[in-house]
Amino acid sequence: MSIGLKVLNPLICQFMHAHPGISVEVVMIDQYIDLIEHGIDVAIRGGGELSDSSLRSRKLIKVPRVLCTSPAYIEASEKILIPENLTSHHCLIYSLSSSPRRWVFHNQNYVKIVDLKPGTYVVNNGLALKQAALSGHGVVLLPELLVTDELLSGELVRLLPEWEADTQALYAIQPFHKERSNKARAFIDFLVNALDETC
């Protein structure tokens, strides 16, 4: 939902200007729903490869994630020098992640798996997590798309820049029987081109 509001909805508005004859109904929700049962033509989802053979996917963009926090939290807390230090910090947790309390980082030589203590703030929305981080409540791992402005302004500070979290991706998902829809194809093509230019 957070990427939907910040990144996708402005593009959907552009698409409607470019294709005024196409009616658009948008449902923003973080939970996975059955596309066929709900009659959905195209879903935009983050994550990995599909396990459902009745669906088809097209990769839109890679979505790197960034570990960050506020300057106020840094000043008030012990230093974070290696991923393992996170176990003694307040980590803000996205509850719908496939492994909410396990963060994985890697560099050229190592992979570090960090099992977090129960979070002081657990929520099912990325924008809510960002607001909590901006308020100084802890460390957050979020898609870079959601925090670019705050990192540039200094409101948030990137942590452990020499370590990377697993990169995710954004996919356009269609039920198999909708693949030949000209309207759906036009929408997905539009997103691919627009995201390639803006991200």
Side-chain angles (χ1 to χ4, degrees):
M1 187 184 298
S2 301
I3 289 177
L5 289 167
K6 183 172 173 61
V7 179
L8 296 175
N9 201 56
L11 297 180
I12 292 169
C13 292
Q14 291 176 31
F15 176 78
M16 291 190 297
H17 280 301
H19 300 273
I22 297 180
S23 241
V24 178
E25 180 179 346
V26 177
V27 176
M28 290 197 186
I29 187 169
D30 279 336
Q31 284 86 356
Y32 278 51
I33 61 173
D34 188 307
L35 304 189
I36 296 170
E37 180 184 335
H38 290 86
I40 293 173
D41 297 312
V42 180
I44 309 301
R45 290 180 177 169
E49 298 299 322
L50 287 176
S51 57
D52 188 340
S53 62
S54 68
L55 302 176
R56 294 291 178 264
S57 69
R58 183 170 173 188
K59 191 175 189 177
L60 299 174
I61 51 167
K62 289 183 179 179
V63 182
R65 294 184 297 159
V66 175
L67 185 73
C68 55
T69 192
S70 68
Y73 184 82
I74 290 174
E75 286 180 21
S77 306
E78 294 178 13
K79 288 184 178 180
I80 300 173
L81 302 174
I82 56 174
E84 292 90 336
N85 292 152
L86 292 168
T87 59
S88 61
H89 280 265
H90 296 295
C91 292
L92 310 173
I93 293 171
Y94 179 63
S95 61
L96 296 178
S97 168
S98 57
S99 53
R101 289 176 173 81
R102 174 168 287 182
W103 290 353
V104 180
F105 300 92
H106 59 88
N107 62 17
Q108 291 182 344
N109 302 310
Y110 300 100
V111 174
K112 298 285 186 181
I113 298 172
V114 180
D115 289 313
L116 307 172
K117 66 181 181 182
T120 52
Y121 186 61
V122 181
V123 67
N124 65 346
N125 183 272
L127 290 177
L129 284 173
K130 181 172 78 170
Q131 289 169 357
L134 287 166
S135 296
H137 290 291
V139 178
V140 69
L141 181 60
L142 283 174
E144 191 171 8
L145 290 167
L146 295 183
V147 293
T148 302
D149 295 340
E150 290 78 11
L151 291 171
L152 287 172
S153 70
E155 293 173 273
L156 291 175
V157 178
R158 183 169 186 166
L159 300 169
L160 303 178
E162 66 278 14
W163 291 88
E164 292 183 14
D166 288 341
T167 295
Q168 297 180 336
L170 212 57
Y171 294 87
I173 312 292
Q174 288 181 280
F176 183 80
H177 68 283
K178 299 278 189 179
E179 268 191 313
R180 295 182 182 173
S181 162
N182 291 331
K183 293 176 181 179
R185 189 180 308 117
F187 176 63
I188 293 170
D189 288 344
F190 179 88
L191 284 183
V192 168
N193 293 328
L195 288 166
D196 188 52
E197 291 175 7
T198 59
C199 296

PDB file of all heavy atoms in Angstrom, residues 85-101:
ATOM      1  N   ASN A  85      24.596  -6.054  16.001  1.00  0.00           N
ATOM      2  CA  ASN A  85      24.253  -5.013  16.983  1.00  0.00           C
ATOM      3  C   ASN A  85      22.758  -4.730  17.020  1.00  0.00           C
ATOM      4  O   ASN A  85      22.232  -4.217  18.014  1.00  0.00           O
ATOM      5  CB  ASN A  85      24.991  -3.705  16.677  1.00  0.00           C
ATOM      6  CG  ASN A  85      26.488  -3.784  16.889  1.00  0.00           C
ATOM      7  OD1 ASN A  85      27.241  -3.075  16.237  1.00  0.00           O
ATOM      8  ND2 ASN A  85      26.943  -4.636  17.800  1.00  0.00           N
ATOM      9  N   LEU A  86      22.052  -5.053  15.940  1.00  0.00           N
ATOM     10  CA  LEU A  86      20.616  -4.767  15.876  1.00  0.00           C
ATOM     11  C   LEU A  86      19.819  -5.524  16.929  1.00  0.00           C
ATOM     12  O   LEU A  86      18.722  -5.109  17.297  1.00  0.00           O
ATOM     13  CB  LEU A  86      20.071  -5.104  14.483  1.00  0.00           C
ATOM     14  CG  LEU A  86      20.563  -4.200  13.351  1.00  0.00           C
ATOM     15  CD1 LEU A  86      20.193  -4.792  11.994  1.00  0.00           C
ATOM     16  CD2 LEU A  86      19.992  -2.795  13.493  1.00  0.00           C
ATOM     17  N   THR A  87      20.359  -6.613  17.435  1.00  0.00           N
ATOM     18  CA  THR A  87      19.617  -7.408  18.428  1.00  0.00           C
ATOM     19  C   THR A  87      19.407  -6.651  19.732  1.00  0.00           C
ATOM     20  O   THR A  87      18.539  -7.023  20.528  1.00  0.00           O
ATOM     21  CB  THR A  87      20.328  -8.747  18.715  1.00  0.00           C
ATOM     22  OG1 THR A  87      21.640  -8.479  19.206  1.00  0.00           O
ATOM     23  CG2 THR A  87      20.412  -9.603  17.463  1.00  0.00           C
ATOM     24  N   SER A  88      20.194  -5.602  19.963  1.00  0.00           N
ATOM     25  CA  SER A  88      20.022  -4.826  21.206  1.00  0.00           C
ATOM     26  C   SER A  88      19.352  -3.480  20.947  1.00  0.00           C
ATOM     27  O   SER A  88      19.373  -2.606  21.815  1.00  0.00           O
ATOM     28  CB  SER A  88      21.385  -4.623  21.883  1.00  0.00           C
ATOM     29  OG  SER A  88      22.239  -3.899  21.027  1.00  0.00           O
ATOM     30  N   HIS A  89      18.749  -3.334  19.778  1.00  0.00           N
ATOM     31  CA  HIS A  89      18.106  -2.066  19.427  1.00  0.00           C
ATOM     32  C   HIS A  89      16.602  -2.241  19.225  1.00  0.00           C
ATOM     33  O   HIS A  89      16.105  -3.351  19.047  1.00  0.00           O
ATOM     34  CB  HIS A  89      18.727  -1.497  18.147  1.00  0.00           C
ATOM     35  CG  HIS A  89      20.027  -0.811  18.405  1.00  0.00           C
ATOM     36  ND1 HIS A  89      20.136   0.542  18.601  1.00  0.00           N
ATOM     37  CD2 HIS A  89      21.294  -1.312  18.510  1.00  0.00           C
ATOM     38  CE1 HIS A  89      21.410   0.855  18.817  1.00  0.00           C
ATOM     39  NE2 HIS A  89      22.126  -0.256  18.770  1.00  0.00           N
ATOM     40  N   HIS A  90      15.905  -1.100  19.247  1.00  0.00           N
ATOM     41  CA  HIS A  90      14.486  -1.089  18.934  1.00  0.00           C
ATOM     42  C   HIS A  90      14.343  -1.139  17.417  1.00  0.00           C
ATOM     43  O   HIS A  90      14.690  -0.178  16.721  1.00  0.00           O
ATOM     44  CB  HIS A  90      13.818   0.181  19.482  1.00  0.00           C
ATOM     45  CG  HIS A  90      13.849   0.285  20.959  1.00  0.00           C
ATOM     46  ND1 HIS A  90      13.185  -0.601  21.781  1.00  0.00           N
ATOM     47  CD2 HIS A  90      14.475   1.158  21.784  1.00  0.00           C
ATOM     48  CE1 HIS A  90      13.393  -0.268  23.043  1.00  0.00           C
ATOM     49  NE2 HIS A  90      14.175   0.785  23.077  1.00  0.00           N
ATOM     50  N   CYS A  91      13.870  -2.252  16.910  1.00  0.00           N
ATOM     51  CA  CYS A  91      13.679  -2.397  15.470  1.00  0.00           C
ATOM     52  C   CYS A  91      12.185  -2.325  15.161  1.00  0.00           C
ATOM     53  O   CYS A  91      11.366  -2.959  15.834  1.00  0.00           O
ATOM     54  CB  CYS A  91      14.270  -3.715  14.979  1.00  0.00           C
ATOM     55  SG  CYS A  91      16.082  -3.740  15.101  1.00  0.00           S
ATOM     56  N   LEU A  92      11.855  -1.537  14.170  1.00  0.00           N
ATOM     57  CA  LEU A  92      10.464  -1.310  13.765  1.00  0.00           C
ATOM     58  C   LEU A  92      10.131  -2.333  12.694  1.00  0.00           C
ATOM     59  O   LEU A  92      10.801  -2.413  11.670  1.00  0.00           O
ATOM     60  CB  LEU A  92      10.310   0.119  13.248  1.00  0.00           C
ATOM     61  CG  LEU A  92      10.897   1.195  14.181  1.00  0.00           C
ATOM     62  CD1 LEU A  92      10.859   2.557  13.517  1.00  0.00           C
ATOM     63  CD2 LEU A  92      10.168   1.209  15.513  1.00  0.00           C
ATOM     64  N   ILE A  93       9.090  -3.115  12.917  1.00  0.00           N
ATOM     65  CA  ILE A  93       8.897  -4.348  12.149  1.00  0.00           C
ATOM     66  C   ILE A  93       7.652  -4.290  11.280  1.00  0.00           C
ATOM     67  O   ILE A  93       6.565  -3.916  11.739  1.00  0.00           O
ATOM     68  CB  ILE A  93       8.828  -5.550  13.125  1.00  0.00           C
ATOM     69  CG1 ILE A  93      10.200  -5.725  13.791  1.00  0.00           C
ATOM     70  CG2 ILE A  93       8.410  -6.825  12.403  1.00  0.00           C
ATOM     71  CD1 ILE A  93      10.226  -6.727  14.911  1.00  0.00           C
ATOM     72  N   TYR A  94       7.825  -4.703  10.019  1.00  0.00           N
ATOM     73  CA  TYR A  94       6.710  -4.826   9.075  1.00  0.00           C
ATOM     74  C   TYR A  94       6.085  -6.209   9.262  1.00  0.00           C
ATOM     75  O   TYR A  94       6.693  -7.232   8.954  1.00  0.00           O
ATOM     76  CB  TYR A  94       7.219  -4.634   7.645  1.00  0.00           C
ATOM     77  CG  TYR A  94       6.151  -4.769   6.594  1.00  0.00           C
ATOM     78  CD1 TYR A  94       5.075  -3.890   6.531  1.00  0.00           C
ATOM     79  CD2 TYR A  94       6.220  -5.785   5.643  1.00  0.00           C
ATOM     80  CE1 TYR A  94       4.098  -4.009   5.562  1.00  0.00           C
ATOM     81  CE2 TYR A  94       5.248  -5.910   4.663  1.00  0.00           C
ATOM     82  CZ  TYR A  94       4.193  -5.022   4.626  1.00  0.00           C
ATOM     83  OH  TYR A  94       3.218  -5.149   3.668  1.00  0.00           O
ATOM     84  N   SER A  95       4.874  -6.248   9.774  1.00  0.00           N
ATOM     85  CA  SER A  95       4.281  -7.515  10.218  1.00  0.00           C
ATOM     86  C   SER A  95       3.940  -8.473   9.088  1.00  0.00           C
ATOM     87  O   SER A  95       3.836  -9.676   9.317  1.00  0.00           O
ATOM     88  CB  SER A  95       3.024  -7.237  11.046  1.00  0.00           C
ATOM     89  OG  SER A  95       2.053  -6.559  10.268  1.00  0.00           O
ATOM     90  N   LEU A  96       3.766  -7.974   7.864  1.00  0.00           N
ATOM     91  CA  LEU A  96       3.372  -8.858   6.762  1.00  0.00           C
ATOM     92  C   LEU A  96       4.557  -9.431   5.989  1.00  0.00           C
ATOM     93  O   LEU A  96       4.377 -10.125   4.993  1.00  0.00           O
ATOM     94  CB  LEU A  96       2.441  -8.110   5.789  1.00  0.00           C
ATOM     95  CG  LEU A  96       1.102  -7.667   6.379  1.00  0.00           C
ATOM     96  CD1 LEU A  96       0.278  -6.909   5.354  1.00  0.00           C
ATOM     97  CD2 LEU A  96       0.319  -8.859   6.922  1.00  0.00           C
ATOM     98  N   SER A  97       5.757  -9.144   6.447  1.00  0.00           N
ATOM     99  CA  SER A  97       6.938  -9.730   5.814  1.00  0.00           C
ATOM    100  C   SER A  97       6.900 -11.252   5.981  1.00  0.00           C
ATOM    101  O   SER A  97       6.315 -11.767   6.933  1.00  0.00           O
ATOM    102  CB  SER A  97       8.199  -9.174   6.476  1.00  0.00           C
ATOM    103  OG  SER A  97       9.341  -9.905   6.099  1.00  0.00           O
ATOM    104  N   SER A  98       7.560 -11.965   5.066  1.00  0.00           N
ATOM    105  CA  SER A  98       7.598 -13.430   5.189  1.00  0.00           C
ATOM    106  C   SER A  98       8.370 -13.863   6.434  1.00  0.00           C
ATOM    107  O   SER A  98       8.143 -14.938   6.978  1.00  0.00           O
ATOM    108  CB  SER A  98       8.215 -14.058   3.937  1.00  0.00           C
ATOM    109  OG  SER A  98       9.511 -13.536   3.724  1.00  0.00           O
ATOM    110  N   SER A  99       9.307 -13.029   6.894  1.00  0.00           N
ATOM    111  CA  SER A  99      10.016 -13.310   8.155  1.00  0.00           C
ATOM    112  C   SER A  99      10.224 -11.981   8.891  1.00  0.00           C
ATOM    113  O   SER A  99      11.304 -11.392   8.843  1.00  0.00           O
ATOM    114  CB  SER A  99      11.359 -13.989   7.888  1.00  0.00           C
ATOM    115  OG  SER A  99      12.126 -13.235   6.968  1.00  0.00           O
ATOM    116  N   PRO A 100       9.180 -11.501   9.568  1.00  0.00           N
ATOM    117  CA  PRO A 100       9.210 -10.156  10.157  1.00  0.00           C
ATOM    118  C   PRO A 100      10.369  -9.902  11.115  1.00  0.00           C
ATOM    119  O   PRO A 100      10.947  -8.818  11.108  1.00  0.00           O
ATOM    120  CB  PRO A 100       7.872 -10.055  10.895  1.00  0.00           C
ATOM    121  CG  PRO A 100       7.004 -11.085  10.285  1.00  0.00           C
ATOM    122  CD  PRO A 100       7.907 -12.181   9.816  1.00  0.00           C
ATOM    123  N   ARG A 101      10.714 -10.903  11.939  1.00  0.00           N
ATOM    124  CA  ARG A 101      11.727 -10.679  12.968  1.00  0.00           C
ATOM    125  C   ARG A 101      13.085 -11.271  12.600  1.00  0.00           C
ATOM    126  O   ARG A 101      13.961 -11.411  13.445  1.00  0.00           O
ATOM    127  CB  ARG A 101      11.237 -11.246  14.307  1.00  0.00           C
ATOM    128  CG  ARG A 101      10.103 -10.411  14.887  1.00  0.00           C
ATOM    129  CD  ARG A 101       9.523 -10.980  16.161  1.00  0.00           C
ATOM    130  NE  ARG A 101       8.562 -10.055  16.735  1.00  0.00           N
ATOM    131  CZ  ARG A 101       7.299  -9.949  16.317  1.00  0.00           C
ATOM    132  NH1 ARG A 101       6.856 -10.708  15.329  1.00  0.00           N
ATOM    133  NH2 ARG A 101       6.474  -9.070  16.872  1.00  0.00           N
TER     134      ARG A 101
END
